[in-house]
């Protein structure tokens, strides 16, 4: 893509960088000509420059020749533009159709004056196509719920935040969240889950990504039907069968405690027996990660 764009803008150096909302830095996706040190400074410092806020707001390319002299300072000028002798450059912010900031395209040259306005305009018209190349959600409907956090879980277990991260520990290696994400990727079927993490409940929506891995949208919710976190933990085990003694061993409590929890669960769910309660857990996709024992139990058979 960068080589093809050279037909539009006569650059010497170019770089396409995606935004990582977790680390709050840019990460190079592809580059031509830029020294590694210049890429590191650009990725780590350009978004801290005062002009970057305006750049993201306007969503149009900014040329170096258009930058006022009074703001030509900071790491990007002192460590990249001036030492490398760039006479012209531009930065194009990249956005998804739903408004998510995706990253930026940078181009520079040491050999001539300002990039032609016609070339810059053509590049702006192609920004959607360029942005799609680094969009982790390309080909996937973005979540409509603005309160959801979104990540991409890859087949190798790497987690790429799509929105500002929250509760990222849900998807660390060995967690219930990452195991469920892998199961969705393998089956190709979207699934909803109710994920209990300690005393906190999350509603997750998962679907396979065309680019590989799983798109996971999740948000914190109140426990359903007035159940306590401990009761949800017991409910999640019911689809697997087992006696009260077996469940008690898993949870490291007394069998009489399990019996009390089940009695309360049946009453709150308004169901007649354990089988009906187990069916409710399966319908909810109820999953619990018992981090203390390192065991994962799922209320849903994938």
């Amino acid at each position: 893509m960068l080589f093809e764009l050279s037909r539009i803008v006569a650059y010497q150096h170019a770089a396409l960088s995606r935004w990582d909302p977790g680390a709050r830095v840019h990460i190079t996706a592809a580059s031509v000509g830029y020294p590694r040190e210049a890429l590191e400074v650009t990725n780590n410092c350009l978004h801290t420059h005062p002009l970057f806020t305006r750049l993201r707001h306007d969503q149009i390319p900014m040329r170096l020749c258009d930058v006022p002299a009074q703001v030509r300072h900071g790491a990007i000028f002192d460590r990249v533009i001036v030492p490398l002798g760039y006479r012209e450059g531009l930065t194009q912010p990249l956005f998804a159709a739903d408004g998510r900031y995706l990253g930026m395209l940078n181009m520079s040259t040491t050999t001539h004056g300002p990039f032609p306005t016609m070339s810059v305009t053509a590049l702006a018209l192609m920004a959607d196509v360029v942005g799609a190349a680094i969009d982790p959600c390309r080909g996937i409907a973005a979540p409509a719920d603005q309160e959801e956090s979104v990540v991409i879980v890859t087949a190798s277990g790497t987690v790429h935040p799509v929105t500002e991260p929250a509760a990222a520990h849900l998807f660390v290696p060995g967690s219930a969240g990452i195991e469920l994400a892998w199961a969705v990727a393998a089956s190709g079927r979207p699934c909803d889950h109710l994920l209990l993490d300690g005393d906190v409940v999350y509603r997750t929506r998962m679907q396979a990504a065309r680019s590989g891995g799983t798109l996971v949208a999740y948000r914190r919710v109140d426990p359903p039907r007035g159940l306590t976190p401990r009761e949800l933990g017991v409910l999640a085990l019911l689809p697997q069968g087992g006696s009260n003694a077996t469940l008690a061993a898993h949870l490291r409590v007394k069998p009489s405690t399990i019996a009390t929890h089940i009695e309360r669960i049946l009453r709150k769910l308004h169901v007649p027996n354990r089988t009906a309660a187990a069916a409710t857990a399966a319908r909810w996709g109820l999953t619990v990660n018992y981090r203390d024992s390192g065991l994962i139990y799922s209320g849903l058979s994938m």
Side-chain angles (χ1 to χ4, degrees):
M1 176 174 285
L2 291 180
F3 283 120
E4 289 296 324
L5 288 176
S6 67
R7 301 183 182 186
I8 300 174
V9 179
Y11 67 80
Q12 280 184 302
H13 300 164
L16 185 60
S17 302
R18 68 174 180 84
W19 176 246
D20 184 333
R24 300 196 65 77
V25 297
H26 290 88
I27 298 174
T28 302
S31 67
V32 176
Y34 278 119
R36 180 170 58 87
E37 295 78 8
L39 291 172
E40 291 177 353
V41 173
T42 302
N43 287 337
N44 289 297
C45 300
L46 182 55
H47 63 279
T48 66
H49 193 279
L51 280 179
F52 196 77
T53 300
R54 173 183 149 191
L55 186 71
R56 285 188 57 168
H57 177 269
D58 293 345
Q59 300 189 18
I60 58 176
M62 179 177 291
R63 296 184 298 182
L64 178 60
C65 65
D66 296 325
V67 176
Q70 62 268 28
V71 294
R72 290 178 177 243
H73 56 76
I76 194 68
F77 287 91
D78 299 340
R79 297 169 59 186
V80 178
I81 294 175
V82 173
L84 295 179
Y86 290 129
R87 298 178 61 185
E88 176 62 314
L90 66 80
T91 298
Q92 166 71 62
L94 303 171
F95 294 84
D98 57 22
R100 285 176 294 115
Y101 175 64
L102 299 173
M104 61 183 179
L105 172 67
N106 288 291
M107 293 178 171
S108 304
T109 181
T110 62
T111 60
H112 57 73
F115 290 131
T117 300
M118 185 70 71
S119 296
V120 178
T121 301
L123 181 64
L125 294 174
M126 295 184 62
D128 290 347
V129 176
V130 179
I134 57 172
D135 186 358
C137 293
R138 60 185 178 273
I140 302 174
D145 191 337
Q146 296 301 312
E147 295 184 6
E148 286 182 320
S149 296
V150 185
V151 298
I152 295 285
V153 179
T154 69
S156 64
T158 303
V159 177
H160 297 298
V162 176
T163 62
E164 297 298 326
H169 66 276
L170 295 176
F171 307 100
V172 299
S175 67
I178 204 165
E179 296 289 341
L180 292 171
W182 284 341
V184 168
S187 68
R189 300 192 307 269
C191 286
D192 292 352
H193 295 277
L194 203 62
L195 184 62
L196 176 64
D197 183 72
D199 291 337
V200 182
V201 183
Y202 296 90
R203 167 58 66 187
T204 69
R205 301 189 296 112
M206 302 185 183
Q207 64 182 101
R210 293 181 183 178
S211 56
T214 307
L215 178 76
V216 183
Y218 62 98
R219 61 175 294 182
R220 185 170 177 171
V221 297
D222 294 329
R225 303 290 184 87
L227 294 167
T228 66
R230 176 56 74 181
E231 290 165 353
L232 281 174
V234 173
L235 178 60
L237 294 175
L238 294 185
Q240 302 177 41
S243 63
N244 286 357
T246 300
L247 302 185
H250 282 316
L251 296 177
R252 299 174 182 173
V253 297
K254 296 179 180 179
S256 60
T257 301
I258 294 295
T260 299
H261 284 317
I262 292 177
E263 179 182 347
R264 293 173 178 170
I265 290 169
L266 299 182
R267 183 171 65 251
K268 291 180 179 181
L269 294 181
H270 304 290
V271 294
N273 51 48
R274 294 163 67 117
T275 300
T280 300
R283 187 173 66 254
W284 288 349
L286 180 58
T287 306
V288 185
N289 184 8
Y290 293 96
R291 287 172 291 174
D292 291 340
S293 63
L295 299 175
I296 296 174
Y297 304 102
S298 175
L300 179 63
S301 176
M302 298 299 298

